[in-house]
Amino acid sequence: MEHDIVNVAQTKQPAIFTQFMNLVKNNELSHAYLFTGEDGAGQFSVAMGVAMRLFCTNVQNGMPCGKCAECVRIMNYDHPDVVVTKPDGQSIKIDQIRHVKSEFTKSAMEGSKKVFIISEAEKMTTGAANGLLKFIEEPTGNVVSFLISKNRNLVLPTIISRTQVVEFPSLSKKLMVKELQSSGVKPSEVNLMISITNSLDQIKGWLKDDWFASTQKMLEKWFIYLVKDNTMAMPFIQMSLMPLITNKDRQRIVISMMLSLFDDVLETKYGTLAEERVKYPSILEQTKLAASKWRNDQILKMLDELLDVNKSMAVNVNFQNIIEALTLKILEISKS
């Protein structure tokens, strides 16, 4: 039982875990990491394992022992210098981050180190995320922060830019692409699908009635209206997009698809979008046009608006109203 966390980390992500053990050994840890990947890919176990290695009093072959008092306290969430924050209900609220911030500014109670682990970081409210930013940017003392999120597209870009992002693989991308192609998925859909999920079962559900391909085409048309500052984007939502969005699950997928679309724009702007990773290849020219037309701050504001949609959905606002308000806001930002 004592070794569960270390065993899980070693089993699920042997290369990543070994790399972090070496970083600790060589005193080369950065101050902030974002661990991303599907649920169950081992992110939390690796973060906890790193915390145990930092405090373990009986390191065995470069690994935490899992048995000493320090390791046991960490596993029991009872160590004053290892703070774990999880969503309180639907979100991580600013009060929770204020607690973390107060811990940041204290000197470690039982040593010179302090570790913060924030699970489901994508559920931080915008206020909570902004409250955390400067402490990630300018940590006090010997502090290591681990933010864990199953989808980096749902984390504020400003947070991503201030952390080292570590992608936790489930299936390798090559294997995932191969399996999707053998399932009859069109090449134009593969990158978008694997940007949203690593679950083959989920993807197979999307393929049943050609829903995913139809929605992708509608979002491409919606985006072209936005790039052209064309207010026809508004009636288009009601006439063409909403008939496809028939339940909550599809609402969430559509938001992820929108985020991936604007992620293409941002990466094109930064010159980091490799051709083989383009998620909307059929509108690549319009994506390039948007990247040249919109400033960095405009694209980041648009992404922030998209991320805020999750909050509106959490309080059961009508989804069509949410998307129409989002569209208006993007059109406003485009002209600002």
Side-chain angles (χ1 to χ4, degrees), residues 17 49 94 194 328:
F17 192 58
I94 191 147
I194 62 176
L328 275 177

Side-chain angles (χ1 to χ4, degrees), residues 125-185:
T125 62
T126 304
N130 286 334
L132 187 67
L133 269 175
K134 63 180 176 180
F135 289 93
I136 288 179
E137 201 166 22
E138 299 169 9
T140 306
N142 191 356
V143 174
V144 184
S145 302
F146 295 99
L147 281 67
I148 297 170
S149 174
K150 62 183 176 183
N151 188 346
R152 68 177 283 173
N153 289 332
L154 298 179
V155 179
L156 281 173
T158 43
I159 293 275
I160 291 172
S161 67
R162 287 164 174 79
T163 58
Q164 281 202 25
V165 180
V166 181
E167 301 275 359
F168 277 60
S170 44
L171 285 177
S172 71
K173 292 289 183 189
K174 279 185 181 177
L175 183 57
M176 190 79 172
V177 168
K178 189 176 176 182
E179 291 212 23
L180 289 175
Q181 288 173 340
S182 67
S183 300
V185 180

Side-chain angles (χ1 to χ4, degrees), residues 307-327:
L307 290 162
D308 280 345
V309 166
N310 291 300
K311 289 193 296 186
S312 301
M313 287 175 66
V315 293
N316 288 322
V317 179
N318 177 275
F319 191 71
Q320 182 175 324
N321 292 347
I322 292 171
I323 298 303
E324 287 176 348
L326 168 71
T327 302

Side-chain angles (χ1 to χ4, degrees), residues 263-273 284 287-288 291-292:
D263 190 52
D264 266 7
V265 178
L266 188 64
E267 286 212 61
T268 302
K269 186 79 173 177
Y270 289 148
T272 57
L273 184 61
L284 185 56
T287 302
K288 289 176 179 175
S292 63

